[in-house]
């Protein structure tokens, strides 16, 4: 163990924040740390939008399903996959650019996620808390319009960021044996491992809610796989120039 590993293992989502600003130099330092993440072929296919307008924050919270911490956090950042900047740079260098490839979409999305996670770790290392907000993809067209995103740029997720006003427990993760395999994929022990984790999560939910939530990991997954989640995303991505050929 070392301080970095301990920090990573102590991650929690924070949804209540102090009324305290993050100094601009610190915010810029966090974003620079994000830029130091691995990036496919040095493309750096991301742009971060800092939402400071209070009306836009309120609208963003509404679009994300009423997540009030978006309004209350010191900062709300939207991490966007951005293929506009690198493809146009390549064109100016004389390339005959091919757009709309599925691999390009994957590269830009992965680049964005890696960059954001660096920001998250850097933020937690200086005492800040955060919450990722995938809910902005509930209404991606409205979010894109609000942020004036051009073609070939799409919002991947948001991040509420600030000084924590709560101290939640660390949420348990699956047993290591469930996800770490040697040489090949083997899920023969999956039912037993999942059953073990369901018991862990059952206790966690009961303790966290004072006995008001009687659930487990498998039960919480049910709505994610019994409904078509955000079926609008494919058409939205195509409309933004990510044809996914």
């Amino acid at each position: 163990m070392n301080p970095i590993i301990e920090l990573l293992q102590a991650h929690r989502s924070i949804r209540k924040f102090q009324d305290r600003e993050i100094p601009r130099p610190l915010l810029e330092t966090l974003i620079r740390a994000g830029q130091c993440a691995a990036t496919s072929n040095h493309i750096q296919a991301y742009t971060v939008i800092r939402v400071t307008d209070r009306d836009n924050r309120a609208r963003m919270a509404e679009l994300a399903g009423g997540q009030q911490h978006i309004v209350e956090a010191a900062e709300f950042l939207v991490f966007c996959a951005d293929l506009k900047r690198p493809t146009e740079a390549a064109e100016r260098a004389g390339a005959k650019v091919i757009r709309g490839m599925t691999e390009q979409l994957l590269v830009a999305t992965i680049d964005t996620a890696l960059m954001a996670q660096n920001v998250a770790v850097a933020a937690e290392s200086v005492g800040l808390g955060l919450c990722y907000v995938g809910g902005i993809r509930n209404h991606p067209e409205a979010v894109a319009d609000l942020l004036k995103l051009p073609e070939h740029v799409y919002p991947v997720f948001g991040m509420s960021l600030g000084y924590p006003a709560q101290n939640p427990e660390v949420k348990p993760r699956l047993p290591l044996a469930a996800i770490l395999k040697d040489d090949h994929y083997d899920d023969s022990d999956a039912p037993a491992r999942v059953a073990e984790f369901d018991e862990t999560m059952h206790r966690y939910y009961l303790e966290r809610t004072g006995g008001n939530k009687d659930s487990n990991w498998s039960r919480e997954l049910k709505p994610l796989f019994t409904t078509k989640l955000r079926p609008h995303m494919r058409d939205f991505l195509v409309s933004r120039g990510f044809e996914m050929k």
Side-chain angles (χ1 to χ4, degrees):
M1 295 293 289
N2 61 50
I4 295 175
I5 295 175
E6 290 174 356
L7 175 71
L8 290 168
Q9 293 186 345
H11 168 73
R12 296 89 40 85
S13 291
I14 300 296
R15 295 181 175 86
K16 294 181 180 179
F17 297 94
Q18 300 175 35
D19 184 12
R20 179 181 172 189
E21 293 185 359
I22 299 173
R24 176 75 186 213
L26 174 56
L27 178 65
E28 292 180 354
T29 295
L30 301 180
I31 299 302
R32 289 192 190 97
Q35 287 183 275
C36 294
T39 169
S40 180
N41 291 295
H42 206 221
I43 294 174
Q44 304 169 80
Y46 42 69
T47 290
V48 183
I49 309 292
R50 179 180 176 235
V51 183
T52 61
D53 183 276
R54 304 311 296 183
D55 291 337
N56 286 353
R57 283 267 203 114
R59 178 60 176 153
M60 199 74 72
E62 179 186 354
L63 292 170
Q67 300 192 51
Q68 186 62 21
H69 57 85
I70 292 174
V71 176
E72 297 171 350
E75 298 285 345
F76 185 68
L77 309 175
V78 179
F79 291 82
C80 303
D82 185 349
L83 284 175
K84 183 176 190 294
R85 181 175 55 245
T87 52
E88 290 182 355
E91 282 182 322
R92 289 193 295 271
K96 293 183 179 180
V97 169
I98 299 172
R99 291 182 169 86
M101 302 301 295
T102 300
E103 177 64 10
Q104 294 171 345
L105 172 63
L106 289 171
V107 163
T109 302
I110 293 167
D111 261 23
T112 304
L114 292 173
M115 188 269 190
Q117 187 61 12
N118 257 32
V119 173
V121 174
E124 290 178 333
S125 77
V126 294
L128 296 170
L130 64 114
C131 183
Y132 281 101
V133 182
I136 65 168
R137 297 193 304 278
N138 292 347
H139 302 281
E141 192 70 52
V143 170
D145 289 344
L146 194 66
L147 301 179
K148 299 181 180 179
L149 301 183
E151 192 176 42
H152 300 116
V153 180
Y154 89 93
V156 182
F157 44 70
M159 179 188 288
S160 294
L161 187 64
Y163 292 93
Q166 62 177 165
N167 186 28
E169 295 179 33
V170 174
K171 203 169 192 177
R173 295 304 199 254
L174 282 160
L176 189 63
I179 65 159
L180 179 61
K181 309 296 180 182
D182 293 329
D183 295 323
H184 61 273
Y185 190 94
D186 176 8
D187 65 350
S188 59
D189 63 347
R193 298 300 182 187
V194 169
E196 174 188 348
F197 189 58
D198 279 340
E199 285 297 318
T200 299
M201 289 306 299
H202 183 237
R203 290 192 300 271
Y204 169 81
Y205 285 131
L206 288 176
E207 292 171 3
R208 191 185 73 173
T209 64
N212 292 322
K213 184 170 182 176
D214 183 9
S215 188
N216 60 33
W217 185 67
S218 294
R219 288 182 217 162
E220 292 296 303
L221 293 177
K222 288 167 68 174
L224 302 178
F225 297 102
T226 55
T227 58
K228 293 183 178 180
L229 293 177
R230 301 185 180 119
H232 52 265
M233 280 304 298
R234 185 183 185 281
D235 288 343
F236 167 72
L237 289 170
V238 170
S239 76
R240 307 302 297 183
F242 296 92
E243 288 92 350
M244 294 179 285
K245 300 170 184 174

